[in-house]
Amino acid sequence: MENGLKVSRLHKNDVNLFIQLIGLLNEVFEEYHTVGSKKQLEKLLNKPEFYAVAAFMNGSIIGGLTAYELECYYNDKSELYIYDIAVKPEFQNQGVGKRLINYLKECALKKGIETIFVDAYSEDKQAVKFYESTMGKGEKVRHFNFEIKTTNNKH
């Protein structure tokens, strides 16, 4: 798999590639979210604290991840939070995901970031096994979502 596999960070001018990456994430997760405007995606790609990383094989995106750098207030460091990571099913279990994680680790090392973290549902055995194989240390946590809904009703 190593031959022909290229991993790189997307930048402001890579909006069309970012749209392809979002399509891949939607496809792999079987969650069909809408995509922001090109202006919004360019703005996001232009932020140094946002990472969109793609894995290419023969010029086509076969996997990728998105991550956010979060500045700490307990010290002068930052952490990276992996928001999404996916690899097309036909390329899974071939080292692509590990290459993506290693690329992000290299980016973190260059910026002095010592911690990368990601959420994985306990029931998602494949994801848990993958993160363990990348030397990730699991912790038991509960993740809570607070959905904020706006209404046009005025009382």
Side-chain angles (χ1 to χ4, degrees):
M1 171 57 62
E2 290 293 319
N3 273 349
L5 181 65
K6 178 184 169 205
V7 176
S8 64
R9 185 173 180 182
L10 303 181
H11 298 283
K12 183 179 179 181
N13 296 331
D14 296 324
V15 174
N16 291 330
L17 291 173
F18 189 27
I19 291 170
Q20 289 176 38
L21 175 57
I22 295 166
L24 181 145
L25 295 169
N26 280 332
E27 179 185 328
V28 172
F29 296 139
E30 297 178 353
E31 296 175 348
Y32 298 94
H33 300 287
T34 59
V35 177
S37 68
K38 283 190 173 189
K39 182 178 178 181
Q40 171 66 14
L41 299 178
E42 276 181 15
K43 185 171 97 175
L44 195 54
L45 287 172
N46 203 36
K47 292 181 179 229
E49 64 274 2
F50 177 75
Y51 295 73
V53 179
F56 298 89
M57 178 64 72
N58 300 323
S60 296
I61 296 177
I62 62 166
L65 64 77
T66 58
Y68 293 87
E69 181 178 336
L70 305 172
E71 291 187 33
C72 297
Y73 47 83
Y74 293 119
N75 56 43
D76 295 348
K77 298 184 184 258
S78 295
E79 299 177 332
L80 281 176
Y81 172 67
I82 298 174
Y83 189 77
D84 276 327
I85 180 170
V87 175
K88 284 188 173 190
E90 61 268 30
F91 294 99
Q92 291 177 3
N93 300 310
Q94 297 180 41
V96 178
K98 286 181 182 177
R99 281 280 303 273
L100 288 163
I101 296 283
N102 287 336
Y103 182 91
L104 194 61
K105 286 179 179 179
E106 290 169 16
C107 291
L109 188 61
K110 288 176 187 172
K111 290 192 77 178
I113 297 172
E114 298 174 354
T115 303
I116 299 172
F117 65 102
V118 64
D119 291 334
Y121 291 106
S122 301
E123 303 83 31
D124 189 345
K125 303 292 185 207
Q126 184 179 358
V128 170
K129 184 178 175 183
F130 167 71
Y131 293 124
E132 289 173 345
S133 76
T134 61
M135 305 306 285
K137 185 181 103 193
E139 298 176 328
K140 290 198 178 238
V141 297
R142 300 268 322 236
H143 178 96
F144 294 90
N145 291 325
F146 298 91
E147 291 190 30
I148 312 300
K149 298 186 182 200
T150 59
T151 61
N152 292 330
N153 298 338
K154 294 183 180 178
H155 297 280

